[in-house]
Amino acid sequence: MPDTTPDPSTVLPALPALSAQAERLIELGVHGRAGLSAGEVRTFAARAAAGADGDGALLAVHPDRAPASALAPLLRRDGKPGFVVVDMPDVDEFTPCALELPDAPLYLVTGIDRGDHMSNWSPDEALPALTKEDRTPLVLTEGIHWVLQQPEALERNLCFMTIGSRLRKPNGTLDARTPAIWISNGTGRDGRERRNAPKVGWCWWNNRHTWLGFASTTGRRG
């Protein structure tokens, strides 16, 4: 098993205030895609900010309202839009697995960690370790929301998987692909024009990757 010692040098700054996050989503048009008014988003953020766990929380839209395919192109890095890899046309079929999201169009995600100390672990190794720490992995849309609000959460060689989202096959078994968000090198089918762009892709459940940690949360609140 790889080393589990967290690297203090990778601690990220605090997320923007919930009011600023609300304005960011409105600016990007996410509220319209989700069937929400700008006022509804602002009101939720204001009420959530007054709560005990509002500080440092991420404002997320439920994936039923704003799926990954709609959110990924809103990502930006070096002026380049994010994208979903071509061999993941079923990206929106990767749904929450072994966890429950709040039954609400908007909710908070608290205590987010990129999981850098789990870099070079496989998802199969990381999931039980997260469970032991009373954490649950992020779902893909939560990971995208995080990078939308805090672009520095995605760094070269310090990107992350979102193994809270899995695809269940018709026969009931889980697809071996697991979603991740990283930075394109502009190779292969990505295309040279996408070098340095944010990328939604996948990795195999039992494979390790030195540049991918495992993003997780301490809880969610609707």
Side-chain angles (χ1 to χ4, degrees):
M1 180 92 46
D3 181 24
T4 63
T5 305
D7 182 354
S9 67
T10 61
V11 174
L12 292 166
L15 276 160
L18 289 173
S19 59
Q21 293 185 47
E23 295 304 321
R24 173 71 171 151
L25 294 181
I26 293 166
E27 173 192 356
L28 293 171
V30 175
H31 66 300
R33 175 64 178 80
L36 299 167
S37 69
E40 286 175 307
V41 179
R42 291 181 177 123
T43 297
F44 177 87
R47 291 176 176 171
D53 54 357
D55 290 345
L58 174 70
L59 176 59
V61 179
H62 197 286
D64 287 350
R65 296 290 192 107
S69 63
L71 295 175
L74 303 178
L75 295 169
R76 291 290 186 278
R77 188 175 188 275
D78 290 349
K80 298 180 179 181
F83 67 99
V84 179
V85 293
V86 296
D87 55 353
M88 204 177 183
D90 50 1
V91 64
D92 293 336
E93 297 175 28
F94 284 75
T95 56
C97 181
L99 59 88
E100 291 187 8
L101 302 184
D103 184 16
L106 297 165
Y107 65 97
L108 299 184
V109 187
T110 58
I112 292 179
D113 179 72
R114 195 167 56 188
D116 296 344
H117 62 293
M118 291 183 176
S119 296
N120 207 32
W121 289 39
S122 71
D124 187 56
E125 293 166 332
L127 183 58
L130 291 173
T131 301
K132 188 175 180 180
E133 296 172 4
D134 292 325
R135 304 185 66 89
T136 57
L138 293 192
V139 299
L140 177 56
T141 51
E142 292 169 348
I144 298 175
H145 274 294
W146 187 19
V147 180
L148 284 174
Q149 300 289 356
Q150 193 172 51
E152 59 266 38
L154 207 62
E155 302 179 54
R156 278 280 177 199
N157 301 316
L158 288 172
C159 302
F160 59 88
M161 300 193 71
T162 54
I163 62 173
S165 294
R166 301 292 304 276
L167 172 62
R168 195 168 293 278
K169 299 178 182 179
N171 65 5
T173 62
L174 290 170
D175 194 288
R177 293 173 296 164
T178 50
I181 306 173
W182 71 96
I183 300 167
S184 175
N185 286 325
T187 57
R189 287 184 287 181
D190 287 2
R192 285 181 295 178
E193 70 280 3
R194 283 175 164 163
R195 177 172 173 77
N196 293 324
K199 171 178 176 176
V200 173
W202 58 269
C203 301
W204 298 118
W205 180 256
N206 287 305
N207 283 10
R208 296 175 175 175
H209 297 278
T210 58
W211 67 94
L212 291 174
F214 293 85
S216 65
T217 172
T218 56
R220 300 169 174 91
R221 179 170 67 85

